[in-house]
Amino acid sequence: AGHRGARTDRARMAAPPPPPQWQPQQEGVQQILQLLTEYRMPGVDQQQMYQRLQQCAKIPDFNNYLAFILTQGEGTQDEIRQTAGLLLKNNLKTGWQSTEPAHQAYIQRALLPALGHPNRFLRHTVGTALSMITRAVGPRGWPGLYTTLAQILEQPPDAHHVDGALDCVYKACEELNGRLDEQVQGMPEGSAAGLLISRLLPLMANPDVGIRRTALGSVNLMVPSWPNTHAAAMDTYLQGLFQLANDGDNGVRKHVCSGIVSLLYRAPEKLVPNIRDVITYMIEMTNFGDEDVALESCEFWAAFCEADLDRDTVEVLREFTPKLIPMLLTNMAYAEDDEEVLNAEDDEANAGRADRDQDIKPSFRGQKDKGSGLGEGAGGEQGGDDDEYYDDDDEEAAQWNLRKSSANGLDVMSNLFGDELLPMILPVVEQRLRDANWRLRESAILALGAVAEGCSGGLAQYVPQLIEFLVPSLDDARPMVRSIACWTLSRFSRWVVQMTFAPHPGDPAPPTAEQGKGFVNNILGGLLRRVVDHNKHVQAAACGALATFTQEIGEDVAPWLGPTVQALAQAIATYQRKNMRSVYDAVATLCESAGECVRTADVARALLPPLLQKWEAGGDAQPDLYNLLECVTSVVMGVGLGAQEYAAPMFARALQLARHQLALREQAKANPDSDVPYEPDHVVAALDLLSGVADGMGAACEALIAANAPALREVMIASVSDPYSPGIRRSAFALVGDVAKSGAGSHVAQSLPQIFECAAANLQPKMVQAYNMSVCNNACWSAGEIALAFPPETVAPYVPALCGAFVQVLNMTMINRSLGENAAIALGRFAARCPEQLASGFGELCGAWCGALRRLRDGQEKEQAFAGLVRLVQLNPQGAVGDQMVSMMNAIASWQFVRDQTLHANLLQLMQGYEQMLGAEQWAQLANALGPAVQRKLGNFANINQKR
């Protein structure tokens, strides 16, 4: 009652006057117009202008001026206004959340009415800027935008408004792909997708080609997030697609094909009744003269094979393969004017020409999470198959095209139909391999690589001959043939490894071992020649193929390790900037895959000097420092103690780099308007290298850490508490864990209060988000490593806060699996060290904990976690009685093999103890709740290790 009264009293108070709305100053408008005019002048120093604009972006109301010039700058050249809009877009993309609310409100008010501007380029620029705001705030952050757009589409004031609204809808759908079905309180029809779909579907039949094209494209983008509340509207959408199938506009046809592909993933059952007609249509469109239409339709074949279709429907495609396969093979040949070919041929004619800055693609950082994620101890995100048909790292090559889509379709189809496709493929391939036209030879080699895995059984008899043909192709006069030969040979690497080496150490070698070693000699020798090729395109392809081959061959690379390392060292010393990332990746893959055979001083002496020379020559400000240090870290971790002679200067320099950049961070924070060259990525790279030295050298790095302890503690605390960068926090927690694991944790012991405080803070519910997930993983892992490394009395004060955070994570619904596993392991380690502090609450944490424990892979980490479980049961056996008992028994039944015999005996004793405690009747009830499969596993638990 008191609260209600308080609110009523406040309601009677006079409301404060609203703050005055922002108004532009004419002088400010003129200054920015002058800057934009200079920016567009031919011959201007673009770098200098960009820096000036970056400085302006730090002015709080700079974006307001840009919005004013874009939307109300009448009398100003349209090109200048559009430039203002594009700069506004870039600023909003990264800076909306840090914009003052009053300025946000002004920008929104200015942009929305301008969707109907008479100039098409300006209203589309407005739509682009609006889409950046939707990207930043999500569907719930600005619901009024969607109601306004829906109103315009339903009752359009004029054609300009319809075009502007549709353009904005399309761009917002691109930015919010998969999120538009989020329920928004108070929004008509429940969600932005529901609100817009019902307005867009009628526009798919509009006589204006631009309207129906954009409306269809927008609906296509909403198919992945189609709201369940509008399921019936999907039939209307499908009918609309069919009615537009033969539209006279190629853009509409392209969207029809795209829509059909989207339906295959979202609602394949809608296409099943007409699947023969759909397949026939898509074949026609793949053969269509327009390349964009052909590309969109070609995506259908991989999507069809991957869709959730019943077997009878899938079998329908088999009828069409005699027509489809030759078409895909035809599309796999390079066109005469293909830009990728022109660039490679230009490289061939101008070998050694220096790279230009614009040739360098931006790189995307991988995330290295510690803990149970991808293997015991440590892991990282591995690349998937998304770039399978990207022949190198060229920006041009990274453009998806009909050739790559056709190869991908053939690849996926071969995995579905297998060897039965070979009679349709091999005659064409055999003919093309002998053709004088290199483009046809190249497409034949691509086709062999595409089906290498799906048709492996049928190709097995031909592989020796194919390798005999492909290895000489590595020396072809044409760079594209050399490149594709590298890739295709790498696709046969698994087959070659299987015929050459025993599947497990100690097993007998296969009977084909001698022949296989000859193939490895030829393939590796050829790839290493191409690694040092004079053509940049070929270099990149060879490095990618070598990485694939060395990953597959693993430790068996030992006999070929010397020449492999020599070739990579030569590449490091001679490659220009553009391909350095390719060789870094090949070096890192070798060091991560080759196991013990690279743990030598010889490998370290071959690889580290040229890498460290790159660091020395380029300094700490070089643009590719992150990639370079990432490679150095992989080498250090791979060679282990082999890097000992380089460890001290590397460690000192990495520590200095981290301290310098963290100092710049503080300068930037104190002077936000200054142009401080702070690079968060460089902090990450330095932390990862420090971590790599500790991990690779183990106990041998103790003296190194002792000598640098004050600076190391300073860097650790500043990094785990970084308020801005999840990447820095992630790498900092990894460093903390690796130092503790190395046995040198005593030198950072005085920093444990701050480290544990930050770890607990990063595990709070508001921080357990996708953007921070790798931080959460590493916070759990490092805390668990500290628990193992320090005596119980050292970690005991931190048990309540940290273990409370672990339990909170385990109780979350839909939690990231890797995080749940890391939290379970860390909780087990603390329970083993400080069981008395957790025993009283065992009943509350047992169920969720055991649910995560059962998902762990057998190994040391799982054993450590279960050791903690045993200790809590010993202190508080009643804690698991009740519903938690089912979870605990399921967790115990998850073991395949328990290496620790003491743990095995304790778990047996635990089960026997509960059987006696519960009595026959309750034990029988528990057995019924567990089910027959778990009963069998538990009944055989005593003998679980005998089969090993």
Side-chain angles (χ1 to χ4, degrees):
H3 286 298
R4 285 198 296 272
R7 281 198 294 269
T8 303
D9 290 342
R10 283 197 296 271
R12 293 194 187 106
M13 293 170 62
Q21 291 191 1
W22 182 88
Q23 293 291 331
Q25 299 297 314
Q26 193 57 36
E27 182 183 358
V29 173
Q30 292 304 318
Q31 287 176 351
I32 292 174
L33 284 174
Q34 178 63 31
L35 184 63
L36 295 174
T37 302
E38 291 178 24
Y39 181 66
R40 291 185 51 83
M41 290 174 62
V44 71
D45 185 334
Q46 291 288 330
Q47 187 66 29
Q48 185 184 46
M49 289 303 303
Y50 177 76
Q51 290 173 355
R52 288 176 63 189
L53 290 167
Q54 288 294 97
Q55 287 293 112
C56 289
K58 296 174 182 175
I59 300 170
D61 59 354
F62 180 60
N63 288 336
N64 294 30
Y65 279 101
L66 294 177
F68 174 80
I69 292 168
L70 169 63
T71 61
Q72 299 172 56
E74 307 305 331
T76 302
Q77 291 180 18
D78 289 341
E79 292 81 6
I80 299 293
R81 295 175 66 180
Q82 188 177 17
T83 300
L86 294 175
L87 287 170
L88 175 65
K89 180 265 292 186
N90 290 334
N91 294 343
L92 297 182
K93 185 175 182 178
T94 56
W96 177 259
Q97 301 291 9
S98 59
T99 302
E100 294 178 21
H103 294 333
Q104 289 180 342
Y106 174 81
I107 293 167
Q108 289 172 318
R109 286 196 309 272
L111 290 176
L112 207 48
L115 282 172
H117 195 281
N119 183 298
R120 181 172 180 271
F121 293 109
L122 293 185
R123 63 177 178 263
H124 283 195
T125 305
V126 168
T128 302
L130 286 168
S131 73
M132 291 300 105
I133 301 177
T134 67
R135 170 193 174 114
V137 303
R140 296 184 180 128
W142 190 10
L145 171 65
Y146 304 100
T147 53
T148 300
L149 292 171
Q151 185 177 2
I152 293 173
L153 296 179
E154 198 166 31
Q155 298 176 327
D158 54 46
H160 297 327
H161 277 85
V162 176
D163 176 70
L166 279 173
D167 176 73
C168 182
V169 167
Y170 185 87
K171 290 168 179 171
C173 290
E174 284 187 310
E175 296 299 334
L176 293 173
N177 191 17
R179 295 177 57 196
L180 285 167
D181 59 338
E182 289 180 11
Q183 291 295 300
V184 180
Q185 189 173 5
M187 180 175 282
E189 304 195 46
S191 65
L195 182 66
L196 294 171
I197 284 171
S198 57
R199 274 76 179 173
L200 290 167
L201 288 175
L203 296 178
M204 286 168 52
N206 194 284
D208 185 297
V209 64
I211 291 177
R212 65 176 183 270
R213 184 196 305 134
T214 311
L216 173 54
S218 301
V219 179
N220 286 350
L221 290 170
M222 281 188 271
V223 170
S225 57
W226 197 284
N228 293 329
T229 54
H230 290 65
M234 195 166 275
D235 292 325
T236 307
Y237 168 58
L238 181 61
Q239 289 304 313
L241 284 176
F242 288 164
Q243 289 165 8
L244 293 172
N246 294 308
D247 194 280
D249 179 72
N250 289 341
V252 173
R253 289 196 187 203
K254 182 185 86 166
H255 284 316
V256 168
C257 295
S258 177
I260 290 172
V261 171
S262 296
L263 276 176
L264 269 177
Y265 288 112
R266 181 66 170 81
E269 70 281 357
K270 297 289 185 184
L271 295 172
V272 169
N274 301 289
I275 198 64
R276 280 187 171 80
D277 292 336
V278 170
I279 291 173
T280 300
Y281 175 75
M282 295 305 254
I283 288 176
E284 290 175 3
M285 292 300 101
T286 305
N287 265 328
F288 199 64
D290 184 89
E291 187 171 346
D292 290 336
V293 175
L295 175 58
E296 288 298 330
S297 61
C298 196
E299 296 294 289
F300 177 83
W301 311 114
F304 183 93
C305 297
E306 294 170 342
D308 185 17
L309 294 166
D310 62 82
R311 189 67 201 178
D312 289 341
T313 303
V314 173
E315 288 296 314
V316 174
L317 185 60
R318 179 175 272 111
E319 304 169 20
F320 293 88
T321 51
K323 186 174 184 179
L324 176 58
I325 297 301
M327 179 187 71
L328 293 176
L329 291 170
T330 298
N331 288 342
M332 285 161 62
Y334 276 114
E336 289 290 332
D337 58 349
D338 190 288
E339 193 170 353
E340 189 179 351
V341 175
L342 297 176
N343 288 335
E345 295 286 356
D346 186 49
D347 274 347
E348 191 79 353
N350 297 281
R353 180 175 51 191
D355 291 336
R356 302 169 300 170
D357 285 344
Q358 57 263 44
D359 295 332
I360 314 299
K361 269 195 337 184
S363 61
F364 299 94
R365 312 296 185 226
Q367 293 190 350
K368 295 191 175 180
D369 296 354
K370 293 287 188 176
S372 70
L374 290 172
E376 195 171 297
E381 293 183 3
Q382 302 298 316
D385 293 332
D386 292 346
D387 60 351
E388 192 72 77
Y389 296 94
Y390 289 64
D391 297 334
D392 66 5
D393 282 334
D394 283 350
E395 186 167 7
E396 297 83 8
Q399 298 298 317
W400 197 245
N401 56 32
L402 183 60
R403 173 180 179 270
K404 293 171 185 175
S405 179
S406 299
N408 185 49
L410 185 62
D411 180 358
V412 177
M413 210 176 300
S414 72
N415 282 289
L416 181 65
F417 294 120
D419 296 341
E420 68 181 83
L421 298 184
L422 288 178
M424 292 173 253
I425 295 171
L426 288 180
V428 178
V429 166
E430 187 177 3
Q431 179 183 352
R432 289 186 175 188
L433 287 174
R434 296 194 300 265
D435 202 289
N437 185 334
W438 73 263
R439 286 181 170 80
L440 295 180
R441 291 201 313 278
E442 194 275 347
S443 69
I445 297 172
L446 171 61
L448 287 172
V451 301
E453 295 179 2
C455 299
S456 57
L459 280 175
Q461 58 183 311
Y462 304 109
V463 169
Q465 297 98 297
L466 290 174
I467 291 176
E468 294 293 342
F469 174 82
L470 289 170
V471 169
S473 296
L474 291 169
D475 298 309
D476 195 277
R478 293 288 186 170
M480 304 310 291
V481 176
R482 301 200 297 275
S483 298
I484 202 62
C486 291
W487 178 77
T488 296
L489 281 166
S490 76
R491 295 275 285 182
F492 287 107
S493 57
R494 182 169 302 170
W495 185 91
V496 173
V497 167
Q498 287 173 350
M499 74 174 294
T500 309
F501 305 106
H504 304 289
D507 289 354
T512 53
E514 285 307 311
Q515 183 186 25
K517 286 178 183 176
F519 288 148
V520 175
N521 270 329
N522 291 337
I523 293 171
L524 260 181
L527 290 179
L528 295 178
R529 289 198 305 276
R530 297 289 64 85
V531 164
V532 294
D533 198 286
H534 61 273
N535 188 289
K536 297 172 189 174
H537 191 100
V538 180
Q539 291 171 359
C543 285
L546 181 63
T548 300
F549 204 90
T550 53
Q551 188 171 38
E552 196 67 49
I553 199 171
E555 296 192 31
D556 291 316
V557 76
W560 298 273
L561 185 62
T564 302
V565 167
Q566 289 169 10
L568 289 171
Q570 183 179 342
I572 294 167
T574 58
Y575 277 16
Q576 294 190 39
R577 184 184 163 202
K578 183 178 181 181
N579 277 344
M580 285 309 304
R581 292 174 195 166
S582 298
V583 73
Y584 292 158
D585 181 62
V587 169
T589 303
L590 174 69
C591 292
E592 290 162 8
S593 305
E596 288 298 318
C597 73
V598 295
R599 299 183 75 81
T600 70
D602 288 341
V603 174
R605 289 181 188 126
L607 294 176
L608 283 175
L611 289 169
L612 296 177
Q613 172 58 30
K614 288 278 181 191
W615 191 3
E616 184 65 33
D620 289 345
Q622 58 186 289
D624 298 315
L625 182 66
Y626 181 95
N627 307 89
L628 169 60
L629 295 189
E630 190 177 43
C631 180
V632 172
T633 301
S634 295
V635 175
V636 168
M637 293 174 68
V639 302
L641 290 173
Q644 202 156 3
E645 65 183 282
Y646 306 98
M650 272 193 302
F651 196 90
R653 184 162 182 188
L655 193 57
Q656 177 56 35
L657 172 62
R659 295 181 73 191
H660 175 65
Q661 284 295 329
L662 289 168
L664 291 177
R665 181 190 70 185
E666 296 309 305
Q667 289 180 31
K669 187 164 48 171
N671 302 286
D673 294 337
S674 63
D675 193 16
V676 177
Y678 168 54
E679 292 287 349
D681 279 347
H682 290 181
V683 182
V684 172
L687 293 171
D688 287 346
L689 180 50
L690 294 170
S691 191
V693 172
D695 183 56
M697 294 184 59
C701 75
E702 197 270 343
L704 200 53
I705 290 171
N708 294 278
L712 185 61
R713 290 194 299 269
E714 170 198 323
V715 165
M716 281 181 172
I717 294 170
S719 299
V720 295
S721 61
D722 189 286
Y724 312 110
S725 169
I728 290 176
R729 297 197 299 275
R730 178 196 73 231
S731 294
F733 282 119
L735 174 59
V736 168
D738 280 322
V739 168
K741 191 176 178 182
S742 74
S746 61
H747 299 293
V748 298
Q750 66 192 73
S751 300
L752 288 184
Q754 299 98 315
I755 290 169
F756 276 145
E757 181 185 353
C758 292
N762 275 282
L763 293 171
Q764 296 308 304
K766 66 178 182 180
M767 299 298 287
V768 183
Q769 306 287 340
Y771 79 92
N772 202 49
M773 198 59 65
S774 60
V775 183
C776 300
N777 268 311
N778 286 2
C780 282
W781 176 81
S782 62
E785 290 295 336
I786 291 172
L788 288 179
F790 286 88
E793 59 271 19
T794 302
V795 296
Y798 313 106
V799 168
L802 273 170
C803 291
F806 299 150
V807 174
Q808 202 168 230
V809 165
L810 292 171
N811 282 318
M812 289 180 181
T813 56
M814 300 295 289
I815 190 61
N816 173 277
R817 175 170 176 168
S818 177
L819 177 57
E821 292 176 0
N822 277 320
I825 293 166
L827 181 57
R829 288 170 166 175
F830 275 86
R833 290 303 242 191
C834 306
E836 296 82 4
Q837 292 183 265
L838 293 169
S840 62
F842 181 39
E844 287 75 37
L845 62 85
C846 180
W849 186 23
C850 289
L853 290 177
R854 70 181 293 195
R855 293 192 294 270
L856 296 177
R857 286 180 288 276
D858 290 358
Q860 187 180 37
E861 288 181 329
K862 184 171 180 176
E863 289 173 358
Q864 291 165 347
F866 270 80
L869 176 68
V870 168
R871 289 293 289 124
L872 294 193
V873 170
Q874 289 170 344
L875 292 179
N876 182 11
Q878 288 290 339
V881 174
D883 295 340
Q884 295 92 334
M885 185 65 68
V886 173
S887 294
M888 181 186 291
M889 293 302 154
N890 275 317
I892 294 172
S894 70
W895 283 98
Q896 303 294 317
F897 177 68
V898 188
R899 290 179 298 185
D900 186 323
Q901 294 306 305
T902 302
L903 176 63
H904 183 239
N906 285 339
L907 289 172
L908 274 173
Q909 188 178 3
L910 180 154
M911 288 190 287
Q912 292 162 1
Y914 275 120
E915 185 174 8
Q916 292 173 6
M917 177 190 292
L918 294 176
E921 183 179 346
Q922 288 190 52
W923 189 254
Q925 291 173 0
L926 173 64
N928 287 333
L930 292 171
V934 175
Q935 288 180 45
R936 282 194 299 272
K937 290 179 179 179
L938 293 177
N940 191 49
F941 191 79
N943 306 314
I944 194 172
N945 293 340
Q946 293 180 6
K947 51 190 174 184
R948 296 295 177 115

